[in-house]
Amino acid sequence: MIRIDQLHKRYGDHEVLRGVSLEVQAGEVVCLIGPSGSGKSTVLRCINGLESYEGGSITAFGRPVDRRSRDIHALRSRMGMVFQRFNLFPHRTVLANVMEGPVQVRREPVAQAREEALALLAKVGLADKAEAWPAQLSGGQQQRVAIARALAMKPEAMLFDEPTSALDPELVGDVLAVMRTLADEGMTMIVVTHEMGFAREVADRVCFLHGGVIVEEGTADQVLGAPSQPRTQDFLRRVLRPAEVGR
């Protein structure tokens, strides 16, 4: 469904991505892990056409991803993206936030968009918050609204950029539960995350990035349980509790 081949991206003199290659099949969940600044979020932004790139190629659904192309909006509408910060419209209710894309972009009738939005809010456990304003919600609730809003566009793949990193620890579980449900339903997902337990439980593959390259790639058990590369081993020693290392 998504193919990245020798992707290179730089900001000025700093080369953020130095030849990243990755293939993601339909229905697969791929987690990107690694230290801050390793290029994980940049990979997602390039896939979604939010960033240009200097070398290599990206194809999604069999079509090239080029943010300068006229097709980029159509391609982007097939990939939902959830950011670290929720980016909800503060002057619109929760329900209106979820309805916005279907009505304005997909041109769905308002009644249909409303019915589907209410169903999605129920799916993420927020049916009772439809008429609330974003400022009245906790961070975890806002992130679940952001997921519902992305799903309202009926995407074929979902991109998650550290969706729990801005949340208080006690709010993380509800967001991850929604993501687990999506994975169980067969949604294609690429997830940048620091939640190693989630990656171990849900990911079909885990990619460890460092210095703009994929240093190690394999199943969750391989990469998280028995990493072969010293840099991966060092990273996991720092982020996992002692009882989790090698588990």
Side-chain angles (χ1 to χ4, degrees), residues 69-88:
S69 166
R70 302 179 208 181
D71 297 334
I72 190 60
H73 295 297
L75 270 178
R76 197 178 282 154
S77 71
R78 299 171 71 179
M79 293 184 280
M81 186 151 181
V82 178
F83 299 88
Q84 297 178 39
R85 296 289 174 178
F86 329 116
N87 296 339
L88 301 180

Side-chain angles (χ1 to χ4, degrees), residues 52-135:
S52 59
Y53 49 92
E54 285 73 49
S57 64
I58 305 174
T59 56
F61 319 110
R63 303 176 73 174
V65 176
D66 182 347
R67 70 190 304 262
R68 298 163 298 183
S69 166
R70 302 179 208 181
D71 297 334
I72 190 60
H73 295 297
L75 270 178
R76 197 178 282 154
S77 71
R78 299 171 71 179
M79 293 184 280
M81 186 151 181
V82 178
F83 299 88
Q84 297 178 39
R85 296 289 174 178
F86 329 116
N87 296 339
L88 301 180
F89 297 117
H91 58 290
R92 296 177 189 247
T93 65
V94 164
L95 181 61
N97 265 277
V98 179
M99 290 174 59
E100 177 78 9
V103 171
Q104 299 299 327
V105 179
R106 294 177 62 90
R107 302 298 180 189
E108 287 186 8
V110 171
Q112 177 186 337
R114 177 184 174 85
E115 181 180 351
E116 292 174 349
L118 288 171
L120 285 170
L121 288 173
K123 182 185 183 76
V124 299
L126 294 172
D128 60 332
K129 300 294 185 182
E131 299 305 326
W133 301 96

Side-chain angles (χ1 to χ4, degrees), residues 182-194:
L182 294 178
D184 290 342
E185 292 173 351
M187 174 64 75
T188 306
M189 297 164 59
I190 306 178
V191 184
V192 172
T193 186
H194 291 294

Side-chain angles (χ1 to χ4, degrees), residues 1 20 23 43 61 71-74 81 94 98 104 111-112 119 132-133 138-139 142 147 171 179 184 186 202 228 247:
M1 182 175 281
V20 170
E23 291 189 5
V43 170
F61 319 110
D71 297 334
I72 190 60
H73 295 297
M81 186 151 181
V94 164
V98 179
Q104 299 299 327
Q112 177 186 337
W133 301 96
S138 70
Q142 290 188 58
I147 293 173
L171 303 177
M179 295 170 65
D184 290 342
V202 175
S228 62
R247 191 177 68 188

Side-chain angles (χ1 to χ4, degrees), residues 122-178:
K123 182 185 183 76
V124 299
L126 294 172
D128 60 332
K129 300 294 185 182
E131 299 305 326
W133 301 96
Q136 296 174 310
L137 304 183
S138 70
Q141 289 171 328
Q142 290 188 58
Q143 192 62 291
R144 283 185 279 156
V145 174
I147 293 173
R149 183 177 62 178
L151 291 173
M153 292 297 289
K154 301 179 174 66
E156 296 166 59
M158 289 283 287
L159 311 177
F160 291 89
D161 187 7
E162 297 191 39
T164 61
S165 65
L167 303 180
D168 291 333
E170 67 268 23
L171 303 177
V172 168
D174 290 339
V175 173
L176 294 182
V178 172

